Amino acid sequence: RFPKPRRFEKKNLNYKQMKPYIFIYCEGSDAKVIAVEKTKDKLKLLKADSLEIVQPSVDIDQDIRGLKIEADADLSLVGLNTSEKNANKKPSFSSLTIMNNALDGLKLNKSQFVSVITEPSLYYHEVEGNPRTTSSKVTMQIAEEIQKQRNVAVDKDNIGYISLADKSYLSVFVSGEIDCIKLINSLANYNGKRFYKIPAVKSAELSLAYYVTKKEKFFPDDSSLIVYIGKDYSKLIFLKGRKLKHIGSTLDIGKANLHTYDVYFSKILLEMENGGITSLDNIIVCGEDDSENLLLSFYGTFPEANVSKVDFKDLDVTELPKDTINMLSSYCVPIAAAQDYFASLTG
């Protein structure tokens, strides 16, 4: 390979020479969008924006295959290959315009898009016992159990699983249309393309758990809680040591509709009871609110726990404006998914 001409090495390239990855996290009507470039040493954030999404009324056929989760891959969800067809309509609505403007300067047709999803696009199903057969047989057994217990037909290729901290494992599956993928393809339609490349779909909860366990030094017997606060929803993710213990039900409270932090504490205690967790050694707060007032409130309720927030010192944020850097925690889910995805590429 020949070295690039010096004129391409200037800082303000407007990203024309880059082929970035774009991670889109869809949570209700809220979407978090980041564009990243993987350098040799760290992840570089090129863009970050948040917008309200109104789903377009455009029919898009989806052909989704190959959801795989490695059972012992440190909570890493890897590889949901997608191919989109029949996406010729160009919906005209403001959300696509806003998203397109947020990604201005990027060559979207050369980019890789990764969809980050949570409930109700993605489902979790806990299975007792540890798998003792091959992966294909396990997913077939899980599909049969889901059909029996939930009356939901799921293709075994759209099921993955990870081992939990106790003697059980958590299956993850998708069923039906995924709005976040529909959104990506609507953006492609908006720009006159049939579809954009989507090499993977990531689970918001699993990616966040992966990211935190990679950053924090938990002891094997530690019981830890990740509290993610969204705009309208919140997530409670419990860990035992460096393994997933329990994912709580999605809470319909977030920064936009929260009046008192006490609501979180009662929900946490209920989920601790449901998950068989007697105490907490660590509480990690992230999302739309990681203020000192929130951290102090958690410390007041759980005085024996180490309460902290996620730091992003491992990221290159030199391309972002200062106001975006100051609210980086609100993008923690797509950031975590990006770290999770690139880790899966390197094995």
Side-chain angles (χ1 to χ4, degrees):
R1 295 180 179 178
F2 295 100
K4 293 181 179 179
R6 292 187 57 154
R7 60 189 174 91
F8 289 152
E9 296 175 1
K10 294 180 181 180
K11 183 176 180 180
N12 296 323
L13 295 178
N14 204 24
Y15 316 118
K16 292 299 184 182
Q17 303 305 317
M18 298 178 182
K19 296 181 180 179
Y21 284 78
I22 297 170
F23 291 78
I24 300 181
Y25 172 48
C26 300
E27 183 186 73
S29 62
D30 184 42
K32 296 291 193 304
V33 183
I34 66 169
V36 304
E37 180 192 23
K38 185 68 171 70
T39 65
K40 182 178 180 181
D41 299 323
K42 58 178 58 176
L43 200 66
K44 184 174 185 177
L45 269 67
L46 308 175
K47 303 270 190 177
D49 209 346
S50 175
L51 57 150
E52 185 177 355
I53 293 297
V54 178
Q55 286 294 345
S57 56
V58 56
D59 294 329
I60 297 175
D61 292 337
Q62 300 187 53
D63 181 17
I64 303 173
R65 299 187 178 91
L67 176 61
K68 298 178 181 178
I69 305 175
E70 302 297 336
D72 297 310
D74 293 325
L75 308 177
S76 179
L77 172 65
V78 294
L80 172 58
N81 296 322
T82 66
S83 113
E84 313 300 335
K85 302 174 291 185
N86 266 345
N88 296 319
K89 293 184 180 179
K90 250 178 139 179
S92 57
F93 70 114
S94 59
S95 297
L96 289 180
T97 303
I98 295 171
M99 180 177 290
N100 205 55
N101 291 340
L103 299 172
D104 182 52
L106 301 175
K107 298 185 71 172
L108 300 184
N109 61 321
K110 299 295 184 181
S111 300
Q112 303 277 329
F113 284 76
V114 176
S115 173
V116 188
I117 61 176
T118 184
E119 299 174 314
S121 295
L122 176 144
Y123 302 85
Y124 297 104
H125 181 76
E126 189 169 336
V127 183
E128 294 184 358
N130 288 316
R132 299 181 180 276
T133 59
T134 62
S135 177
S136 60
K137 290 183 179 179
V138 172
T139 52
M140 179 62 77
Q141 291 173 1
I142 294 174
E144 292 173 354
E145 182 171 318
I146 293 172
Q147 173 72 57
K148 182 178 179 180
Q149 294 186 8
R150 299 193 176 200
N151 196 27
V152 176
V154 184
D155 191 316
K156 66 180 182 63
D157 291 332
N158 285 349
I159 299 175
Y161 61 91
I162 62 168
S163 57
L164 296 175
D166 56 13
K167 295 184 181 298
S168 63
Y169 56 103
L170 184 71
S171 64
V172 186
F173 66 95
V174 294
S175 178
E177 188 176 62
I178 299 176
D179 284 342
C180 206
I181 291 179
K182 182 177 179 180
L183 173 64
I184 294 171
N185 283 286
S186 295
L187 182 64
N189 303 160
Y190 181 87
N191 287 306
K193 303 294 182 181
R194 291 182 61 202
F195 59 87
Y196 286 139
K197 296 178 181 177
I198 307 175
V201 168
K202 307 297 290 184
S203 155
E205 290 83 358
L206 296 188
S207 288
L208 193 54
Y210 166 83
Y211 188 51
V212 170
T213 55
K214 287 296 183 182
K215 292 176 67 66
E216 302 292 335
K217 296 180 179 178
F218 297 138
F219 292 106
D221 293 332
D222 275 0
S223 291
S224 305
L225 167 64
I226 303 170
V227 181
Y228 169 77
I229 299 176
K231 285 187 177 179
D232 300 305
Y233 304 92
S234 296
K235 311 283 184 179
L236 302 177
I237 306 168
F238 294 87
L239 308 170
K240 185 68 173 181
R242 297 172 61 83
K243 280 197 148 188
L244 184 65
K245 169 71 175 177
H246 173 66
I247 297 178
S249 302
T250 299
L251 306 180
D252 58 353
I253 51 174
K255 186 177 181 179
N257 56 6
L258 180 69
H259 304 293
T260 172
Y261 291 138
D262 291 343
V263 179
Y264 279 115
F265 307 143
S266 61
K267 299 288 187 181
I268 289 170
L269 292 172
L270 177 61
E271 287 297 338
M272 287 176 64
E273 183 178 346
N274 293 339
I277 301 162
T278 57
S279 62
L280 293 174
D281 300 292
N282 307 287
I283 299 175
I284 302 91
V285 179
C286 58
E288 293 286 338
D289 187 358
D290 64 351
S291 63
E292 290 300 319
N293 285 339
L294 176 61
L295 268 62
L296 289 173
S297 297
F298 271 99
Y299 183 74
T301 305
F302 302 94
E304 297 182 356
N306 175 35
V307 183
S308 62
K309 58 184 178 181
V310 177
D311 72 72
F312 301 95
K313 295 178 181 178
D314 55 340
L315 302 176
D316 181 348
V317 295
T318 54
E319 296 286 349
L320 299 181
K322 186 175 180 181
D323 58 341
T324 302
I325 295 174
N326 291 337
M327 54 183 293
L328 208 56
S329 183
S330 63
Y331 300 98
C332 62
V333 170
I335 289 172
Q339 297 283 27
D340 185 4
Y341 175 73
F342 288 115
S344 72
L345 294 183
T346 59

